Amino acid sequence: MMLSPDQAEADLSWTQSDPETLLNGLKSAGCASDEPTESEPDRAKCKSEQPLSREEKRRRRRATAKYRSAHATRERIRVEAFNVAFAELRKLLPTLPPDKKLSKIEILRLAICYISYLNHVLDV
């Protein structure tokens, strides 16, 4: 919600500085008091709370250190396999000098040219 500069703060109910008024507003919205309940001693519970959506559950699961660590491991393995595939492709391509270091894009471009050349040789 965008506020215009000429809008008075008195128009906004959330800007009230009286804590009692804010607490009454929360209670009327269906939230329990700030006293801990027996079933949940750590926090107060709001009655209108919805069950977590699938996206929210996924977000919370991804926020754990265990998930991040497993994801990093999977990504490391994926990148390593990708680099091995490029190294294998590089071994098949003729270059001068043979041990010349090529970037991935250079390897791909050289492979395209080499495949085109081999097709031309077969056609002749």
Side-chain angles (χ1 to χ4, degrees):
M1 176 173 105
M2 295 295 293
L3 298 177
S4 64
D6 57 328
Q7 187 175 10
E9 286 189 21
D11 295 343
L12 305 173
S13 62
W14 53 269
T15 60
Q16 297 169 345
S17 59
D18 181 22
E20 193 64 34
T21 307
L22 291 174
L23 184 59
N24 289 339
L26 286 174
K27 286 181 182 176
S28 67
C31 292
S33 68
D34 54 355
E35 299 295 321
T37 61
E38 291 178 11
S39 62
E40 292 183 298
D42 294 340
R43 66 183 185 131
K45 178 94 170 141
C46 185
K47 294 177 188 173
S48 64
E49 209 173 280
Q50 297 283 335
L52 296 177
S53 68
R54 180 182 297 167
E55 186 176 332
E56 183 63 27
K57 287 179 184 176
R58 185 178 299 135
R59 226 182 264 135
R60 287 188 181 186
R61 184 179 65 239
R62 289 179 177 172
T64 64
K66 182 179 177 182
Y67 181 88
R68 285 192 311 269
S69 174
H71 179 72
T73 301
R74 286 191 306 269
E75 179 66 10
R76 199 174 307 110
I77 291 169
R78 185 192 71 80
V79 168
E80 186 177 326
F82 188 76
N83 289 336
V84 167
F86 266 99
E88 292 296 316
L89 178 59
R90 170 66 186 89
K91 289 178 188 174
L92 300 173
L93 300 174
T95 57
L96 287 175
D99 59 343
K100 182 180 180 201
K101 177 74 173 147
L102 298 173
S103 70
K104 289 176 181 157
I105 190 69
E106 290 172 331
I107 291 171
L108 290 174
R109 287 180 179 153
L110 187 58
I112 291 169
C113 290
Y114 189 54
I115 291 169
S116 295
Y117 168 75
L118 292 176
N119 280 332
H120 177 73
V121 168
L122 289 175
D123 290 341
V124 173

